[in-house]
Amino acid sequence: MRRYGKNPDEDDIRSRPNPKGNRPRTNIRPKHEDASEGMVLTVDRGRITCLVEDRVVLAMKARELGRKAAVVGDQVGLVGDLSGKKDTLARIVRIEKRHSVLRRTADDDDPYERVVVANADQLAVVTALADPEPRPRLIDRCLVAAYDGGLEPLLVLTKSDLASPDELLETYKALGIRYVVTRRDELASGYAAGLVREYLDGRVTAFVGHSGVGKTTLVNALVPEDRRRTTGLVNAVTGRGRHTTTSALALPLEKADGWVIDTPGIRSFGLHHVDPSRVILAFPDLVPGTEGCPRACSHDEPDCALDAWVAEGHADPARLYSLRRLLATRERREGD
Ligand SMILES: Nc1nc2c(ncn2[C@@H]2O[C@H](COP(=O)(O)OP(=O)(O)OP(=O)(O)O)[C@@H](O)[C@H]2O)c(=O)[nH]1
Ligand SMILES: [Mg+2]
Ligand SMILES: [Zn+2]
């Protein structure tokens, strides 16, 4: 699988100046070689739910981890009471190196970036075809974040009982992104199982999108209720504004090797942290055309060599148009 991630292991607070400076630490840290491996399923105000072997264990972060936050999808080392019994609390002493990170900022001017999900392979960008109306700008932003973070995008268009997907699919055709079109009444049948086989098996997939698009409906259809119960974790489906998902939650797929991660609805997807020059990496067919570009070309400026190269017939103009649209999405406000 192609990966575009840059230093995925860096902390989500790296853009903040360190108030204490880089004073070397003098205390010798315990090594915790005996720590057990676990995976973070959800985080709720400092309470971190982990899967350790087949037990759901509640834990908190050890002080020695400092400000580094454990997020859903993290592989962690735990010590203490790992029985998973009521009223026990383990300690997370280590967060393993991440192979991908999905980050976002609240908006583009906000330097505080948070890691939404760690170690996902795939980003399912969920968009309702109606109610709420699709917002291509938000989709574009999610795609940029996926390319930047090393996740392969999958477009999931929901509520096809309410509107046709044709227009949206036309917009994304040139990007060559895999897509699925779903509707709630079909999910109950064998359709969900087919989805799992085709797109989700063997992967960790994070579902993101605006509130009310049907992320939880989808995830719940993919993970049967009895299986959700065993993890003790349930995300309810939005009904009239209630039950909106409030924290990301990882659930294991049934009869498959993968995980699905439900996340709270987002209004915006700030890209302050993204280096626009990396977006070209998601367009390998255009990369050879950048040889004639000026140094540090943004590929969205008058001197960019791509225009002439594409005009010579080396690549599909629709691909360049799509690249430019993604590059421009960072400059534009989301309502545009
Ligand atoms: N008509 C129709 N309604 C759907 C479909 N899928 C989901 N819904 C409804 O849309 C509403 C929102 O669904 P949720 O799954 O809670 O949406 P969500 O994306 O998880 O929302 P947040 O947790 O707030 O981010 C619910 O009332 C669902 O029943 C669909 O395919 N068609
Ligand atoms: Mg939800
Ligand atoms: Zn260029």
Side-chain angles (χ1 to χ4, degrees):
M1 194 184 309
R2 279 183 298 168
R3 295 207 186 281
Y4 311 106
K6 62 172 180 194
N7 307 326
D9 199 36
E10 275 176 45
D11 203 357
D12 51 336
I13 50 168
R14 75 194 155 108
S15 57
R16 286 258 168 116
N18 176 359
K20 291 188 195 129
N22 288 325
R23 238 173 343 120
R25 288 180 176 236
T26 46
N27 56 329
I28 296 156
R29 296 195 216 175
K31 282 219 177 74
H32 296 297
E33 276 161 7
D34 56 337
S36 299
E37 281 284 307
M39 172 182 164
V40 176
L41 301 180
T42 193
V43 181
D44 181 17
R45 280 159 293 177
R47 294 264 164 153
I48 305 163
T49 306
C50 301
L51 188 69
V52 182
E53 288 164 19
D54 56 355
R55 297 184 306 282
V56 175
V57 173
L58 200 58
M60 54 184 286
K61 210 175 67 172
R63 279 189 60 183
E64 63 204 70
L65 282 180
R67 298 209 296 178
K68 180 152 184 156
V71 302
V72 173
D74 263 327
Q75 295 293 332
V76 294
L78 299 108
V79 299
D81 190 335
L82 304 177
S83 66
K85 291 199 186 108
K86 199 166 174 283
D87 297 329
T88 60
L89 197 58
R91 273 187 314 134
I92 292 178
V93 291
R94 191 164 64 227
I95 299 173
E96 306 294 349
K97 193 167 159 50
R98 295 167 177 159
H99 71 71
S100 82
V101 280
L102 178 67
R103 308 168 199 272
R104 65 183 277 255
T105 51
D107 70 52
D108 289 353
D109 305 324
D110 178 5
Y112 182 76
E113 55 183 59
R114 58 211 84 208
V115 174
V116 186
V117 172
N119 298 323
D121 316 298
Q122 182 162 247
L123 184 67
V125 182
V126 186
T127 304
L129 292 161
D131 185 30
E133 286 302 302
R135 290 172 50 202
R137 196 71 62 212
L138 183 61
I139 302 176
D140 286 352
R141 288 171 157 265
C142 292
L143 294 179
V144 170
Y147 293 140
D148 184 69
L151 289 80
E152 202 174 348
L154 173 70
L155 207 55
V156 180
L157 305 180
T158 60
K159 309 197 188 186
S160 67
D161 51 316
L162 302 180
S164 155
D166 296 350
E167 200 183 319
L168 253 191
L169 286 176
E170 188 59 34
T171 310
Y172 289 92
K173 205 168 88 183
L175 281 171
I177 300 169
R178 295 161 312 137
Y179 66 87
V180 285
V181 179
T182 74
R183 45 191 288 179
R184 188 181 40 191
D185 50 338
E186 277 180 1
L187 279 173
S189 65
Y191 186 83
L195 262 184
V196 169
R197 268 196 306 279
E198 202 161 341
Y199 297 100
L200 307 175
D201 190 12
R203 296 165 177 259
V204 178
T205 304
F207 288 73
V208 300
H210 198 272
S211 183
V213 295
K215 298 179 293 296
T216 301
T217 302
L218 201 60
V219 165
N220 286 358
L222 296 168
V223 183
E225 194 175 355
D226 52 346
R227 191 170 180 95
R228 275 180 269 141
R229 281 235 186 79
T230 53
T231 65
L233 303 164
V234 178
N235 263 359
V237 169
T238 313
R240 299 178 179 274
R242 290 170 304 154
H243 293 317
T244 188
T245 306
T246 53
S247 41
L249 169 62
L251 291 165
L253 285 169
E254 200 178 38
K255 295 185 201 134
D257 199 15
W259 288 79
V260 286
I261 302 177
D262 192 8
T263 69
I266 46 167
R267 268 174 205 288
S268 61
F269 205 109
L271 296 173
H272 182 90
H273 55 292
V274 166
D275 173 358
S277 70
R278 296 177 46 78
V279 178
I280 184 80
L281 298 179
F283 293 78
D285 51 327
L286 298 181
V287 168
T290 63
E291 271 171 28
C293 284
R295 264 196 57 176
C297 182
S298 69
H299 308 308
D300 194 19
E301 56 192 61
D303 289 342
C304 180
L306 280 169
D307 297 86
W309 188 78
V310 169
E312 284 163 21
H314 296 290
D316 181 357
R319 292 280 292 164
L320 180 56
Y321 174 81
S322 293
L323 167 69
R324 292 269 160 80
R325 199 182 72 220
L326 292 192
L327 289 171
T329 195
R330 227 190 130 223
E331 314 304 325
R332 281 187 216 139
R333 290 280 133 205
E334 274 182 51
D336 297 353

